[in-house]
Amino acid sequence: MDTGRNSFSTGSLLANTYQNFAYHLAAMRPRQWTKNLVVFAAPLFAFSINIPSLLGSLFAFILFCCASSGFYLINDIADVAADRLHPVKCKRPIAAGLVSIPVAIGMAVILLVGALSISWWRSPQLGAAITGYAILQVAYNLKLKRMVILDVVAIATGFVLRAFGGAAATNIVLSAWFLLCTAMLALFLGIEKRKAELRLAQIQGTKLRSVLRRYSLPLLARMESVVTTGTVVTYALWSAGPDLKGASTSWMLLTLPFVLYGIFRYQLLSDPQEISHAEDEHLEKGGRTERPEEVLLKDKGILFTVIGWICTCFIILWLKNQGIIQ
């Protein structure tokens, strides 16, 4: 009998430990970590695909995940009262009381201090990227997220800092076209996010956040047109090859159709008609492009486009290394 009780107690303890771990992991918002995959773009765009560069990118990815999760925890702690009144955010671990505020504070401090100290130990360039990202997050949460246009610029700057961090961790010199393309694409995603938020608020008749009141769908459409053109042009100039100080081979122009389709597909998902016809479940989650990380994980069209782009890049890289193409 004692053996049975001990086994039951051990099983319950393991189950509770696993459940608590899951709650604390969820509080770190691992779904948002997909944004940090930008750090892998530096070796990929530079055609420097080898074990050292991949390990360096993975190192930078982990540090950015720690830093971003630290700020998500701080935001959830600061907004806990409002989140508990929200129909969706009330389910977050901190708002739901599944993770205590003192523990969340301790997690945030460990993650942020660890990411900053380790990054500076690794290299001054990586440390500067992580520190810049941290300063940007503080400025964004205190002021910039309530300032029209600057809120979207801040989001784009965060992606550029991630790309710079990936390059710093792998000692890769970035192409100017690569940085410009990253900035344009990040601006595009930020504008699409605001467009989805604004349209969704209009559909549901909910109260607009202060920054959204300064935006309108016609304004966002004009901004979208500018950054879409900028994204395509800068990517085309990079993929044109070394003559324009871009990719190491002009065969990368073969990947341009994937970029075009991906942008057009994303625009489709943020189209007002698309959101109007979406299921209620999507509306509760904030629209299909309100959360870019969910589009990447759930939309098959975008996912297959990314996979196709990566496979094409690797084929071109292999052919170039074999001397078949220049």
Side-chain angles (χ1 to χ4, degrees):
M1 294 293 292
D2 290 338
T3 303
R5 288 176 182 172
N6 290 336
S7 298
F8 178 77
S9 299
T10 303
S12 299
L13 179 61
L14 290 174
N16 290 333
T17 301
Y18 173 78
Q19 194 171 46
N20 287 330
F21 173 78
Y23 291 147
H24 287 76
L25 179 63
M28 295 167 62
R29 301 196 207 175
R31 284 180 176 270
Q32 302 285 346
W33 292 348
T34 54
K35 299 175 182 178
N36 299 322
L37 291 173
V38 174
V39 300
F40 289 94
L44 184 59
F45 273 64
F47 272 17
S48 179
I49 311 298
N50 49 58
I51 298 299
S53 65
L54 292 178
L55 289 177
S57 297
L58 179 61
F59 186 79
F61 173 77
I62 293 172
L63 292 180
F64 272 102
C65 288
C66 290
S68 59
S69 291
F71 280 106
Y72 290 135
L73 288 166
I74 292 173
N75 291 340
D76 287 350
I77 293 168
D79 299 336
V80 64
D83 287 351
R84 285 172 178 165
L85 301 176
H86 193 277
V88 176
K89 295 180 180 180
C90 65
K91 298 177 182 178
R92 290 177 178 175
I94 296 175
L98 301 173
V99 175
S100 68
I101 291 180
V103 170
I105 293 174
M107 291 172 60
V109 170
I110 292 172
L111 289 170
L112 288 172
V113 173
L116 288 168
S117 58
I118 293 174
S119 64
W120 280 104
W121 168 79
R122 178 69 169 79
S123 74
Q125 293 81 8
L126 181 58
I130 298 287
T131 302
Y133 175 80
I135 294 173
L136 177 68
Q137 291 302 307
V138 172
Y140 180 80
N141 289 303
L142 291 179
K143 187 70 176 179
L144 295 180
K145 69 179 181 181
R146 291 180 287 275
M147 299 180 67
V148 67
I149 299 176
L150 290 181
D151 62 326
V152 179
V153 173
I155 293 173
T157 304
F159 280 95
V160 174
L161 287 171
R162 290 179 177 98
F164 180 80
T170 53
N171 296 317
I172 291 174
V173 178
L174 294 175
S175 163
W177 296 125
F178 165 74
L179 285 174
L180 285 172
C181 183
T182 301
M184 290 294 105
L185 183 59
L187 281 171
F188 170 79
L189 294 175
I191 291 170
E192 292 296 318
K193 178 179 173 69
R194 290 291 181 264
K195 190 170 73 172
E197 289 174 334
L198 182 59
R199 180 58 182 172
L200 183 62
Q202 293 176 350
I203 293 172
Q204 295 182 327
T206 54
K207 184 178 180 180
L208 293 174
R209 293 187 289 112
S210 58
V211 70
L212 286 179
R213 297 193 198 106
R214 301 290 305 278
Y215 286 112
S216 66
L217 290 177
L219 171 63
L220 290 169
R222 292 194 296 272
M223 293 171 64
E224 176 189 58
S225 177
V226 172
V227 298
T228 300
T229 303
T231 302
V232 174
V233 169
T234 53
Y235 185 84
L237 289 170
W238 172 82
S239 60
D243 289 343
L244 295 178
K245 296 183 179 180
S248 60
T249 172
S250 59
W251 284 92
M252 281 300 293
L253 283 169
L254 293 176
T255 63
L256 184 57
F258 291 104
V259 174
L260 288 171
Y261 177 80
I263 290 174
F264 294 155
R265 174 72 182 176
Y266 207 95
Q267 287 179 320
L268 171 67
L269 297 179
S270 69
D271 186 81
Q273 294 299 322
E274 188 75 8
I275 297 177
S276 299
H277 297 148
E279 298 177 359
D280 290 341
E281 179 184 359
H282 287 143
L283 292 179
E284 290 179 357
K285 290 181 179 179
R288 302 186 70 181
T289 57
E290 190 207 5
R291 298 181 180 180
E293 68 281 356
E294 291 196 359
V295 174
L296 177 61
L297 294 172
K298 294 183 178 180
D299 184 75
K300 293 181 179 179
I302 294 291
L303 186 59
F304 288 148
T305 300
V306 173
I307 293 173
W309 180 84
I310 292 174
C311 290
T312 304
C313 287
F314 273 99
I315 291 172
I316 293 172
L317 175 61
W318 182 81
L319 293 173
K320 185 175 183 296
N321 290 337
Q322 297 297 316
I324 299 175
I325 61 175
Q326 297 296 322

